[in-house]
Amino acid sequence: MEENQKKAIIEKGKEYFRSIIIPAHLKNVGKLQLKSFNVNPFLVNYLASFLCGDTSSLSLAKALIYPRILGTSINTSFGQNLQVFISSLAEVAGKASGIDGIDIEFTDAIDGRKKYCQCKAGPQTINADDVATIMGHFGHLQSKARLDRLPLQINDLIVGVLYGEPSELSGNYKNIDKTYPVYCGKEFWTHVTGDENFYKRLSKGFGEVVEEEGINGSEIILRKVKEIAAEIDEKGGY
């Protein structure tokens, strides 16, 4: 893949964060209230002390807010809107597929063969029902290829996991990999671009968006911590 194409993928990824992920993240942060949390008073006091060394209202608020803002909220947004990113990837790396169960079609930079790929977010993001569905779609495409005398090989049907390490793949992915290749994280992006460093470049690019957009995350979080701390004080603490 040419360097301009790689840069285009990174820019598409950045735009995905600008237009989808960041607005959703900021919206979710903005609407957080104390009632947004199912508070376990035993755990929240322990975690506040573990994190900050005390159980003040500010420390309690941090123990509640940090995991939500830096974990649950953003992971949910990324997964729910994944198809937007996949569509933008297809525009640059290959083409969107009209075949059931196939997200993108691209020429593999490693073996030069056309790949039919279903994309998934991360290494733990499918269940047993998903395995049956994926295997069914791939099997149907194989049968159709045989009838139409198309030169389709079993390794041309792949699952592309956008992030993670092969060692982190769940048992459900491993079951698919017994028949069809599952490329995860760096390996997937290397097959798409031919660049072993691209996965890291793309990840860094997503981080650059925050600075490019002039977002002061620390300030946003601190403001929300103070709001939740005030609610805890009104409640009389935990």
Side-chain angles (χ1 to χ4, degrees), residues 181-219:
V182 176
Y183 297 143
C184 181
K186 176 182 176 180
E187 184 180 23
F188 170 66
W189 292 104
T190 301
H191 278 272
V192 172
T193 67
D195 183 350
E196 291 189 354
N197 295 317
F198 185 79
Y199 178 48
K200 188 170 291 185
R201 288 177 61 189
L202 182 62
S203 301
K204 293 290 185 184
F206 291 158
E208 292 167 1
V209 177
V210 175
E211 184 177 351
E212 292 171 359
E213 293 298 297
I215 297 170
N216 189 329
S218 297
E219 191 174 281

Side-chain angles (χ1 to χ4, degrees), residues 147-214:
L147 287 172
D148 295 343
R149 297 183 182 276
L150 298 175
L152 182 71
Q153 298 179 4
I154 196 167
N155 287 343
D156 296 335
L157 301 168
I158 69 169
V159 175
V161 183
L162 302 189
Y163 68 85
E165 300 291 334
S167 61
E168 298 171 340
L169 287 171
S170 68
N172 291 318
Y173 280 117
K174 290 176 182 177
N175 285 334
I176 296 173
D177 194 50
K178 292 174 184 176
T179 307
Y180 303 103
V182 176
Y183 297 143
C184 181
K186 176 182 176 180
E187 184 180 23
F188 170 66
W189 292 104
T190 301
H191 278 272
V192 172
T193 67
D195 183 350
E196 291 189 354
N197 295 317
F198 185 79
Y199 178 48
K200 188 170 291 185
R201 288 177 61 189
L202 182 62
S203 301
K204 293 290 185 184
F206 291 158
E208 292 167 1
V209 177
V210 175
E211 184 177 351
E212 292 171 359
E213 293 298 297

Side-chain angles (χ1 to χ4, degrees), residues 30-198:
K31 68 184 182 183
L32 282 178
Q33 298 176 297
L34 185 57
K35 65 181 181 181
S36 305
F37 301 90
N38 183 16
V39 180
N40 180 330
F42 300 136
L43 281 180
V44 76
N45 276 279
Y46 166 79
L47 292 172
S49 184
F50 190 87
L51 176 66
C52 304
D54 61 64
T55 56
S56 67
S57 58
L58 278 174
S59 297
L60 291 167
K62 289 176 182 178
L64 292 172
I65 288 172
Y66 286 178
R68 181 71 64 88
I69 291 179
L70 300 177
T72 308
S73 172
I74 191 72
N75 281 323
T76 300
S77 293
F78 187 84
Q80 288 177 341
N81 296 285
L82 183 64
Q83 199 59 45
V84 177
F85 181 49
I86 292 170
S87 296
S88 65
L89 172 63
E91 291 178 19
V92 181
K95 68 173 185 178
S97 180
I99 301 172
D100 283 347
I102 304 299
D103 292 311
I104 65 172
E105 300 173 18
F106 68 93
T107 300
D108 193 311
I110 304 300
D111 64 18
R113 293 188 60 83
K114 183 176 182 178
K115 301 298 181 184
Y116 298 84
C117 176
Q118 180 163 143
C119 294
K120 296 296 181 184
Q124 301 288 326
T125 53
I126 64 170
N127 55 40
D129 289 339
D130 294 324
V131 174
T133 300
I134 293 168
M135 298 291 280
H137 285 309
F138 285 0
H140 176 74
L141 185 53
Q142 273 188 285
S143 298
K144 188 176 187 307
R146 282 194 293 268
L147 287 172
D148 295 343
R149 297 183 182 276
L150 298 175
L152 182 71
Q153 298 179 4
I154 196 167
N155 287 343
D156 296 335
L157 301 168
I158 69 169
V159 175
V161 183
L162 302 189
Y163 68 85
E165 300 291 334
S167 61
E168 298 171 340
L169 287 171
S170 68
N172 291 318
Y173 280 117
K174 290 176 182 177
N175 285 334
I176 296 173
D177 194 50
K178 292 174 184 176
T179 307
Y180 303 103
V182 176
Y183 297 143
C184 181
K186 176 182 176 180
E187 184 180 23
F188 170 66
W189 292 104
T190 301
H191 278 272
V192 172
T193 67
D195 183 350
E196 291 189 354
N197 295 317
F198 185 79

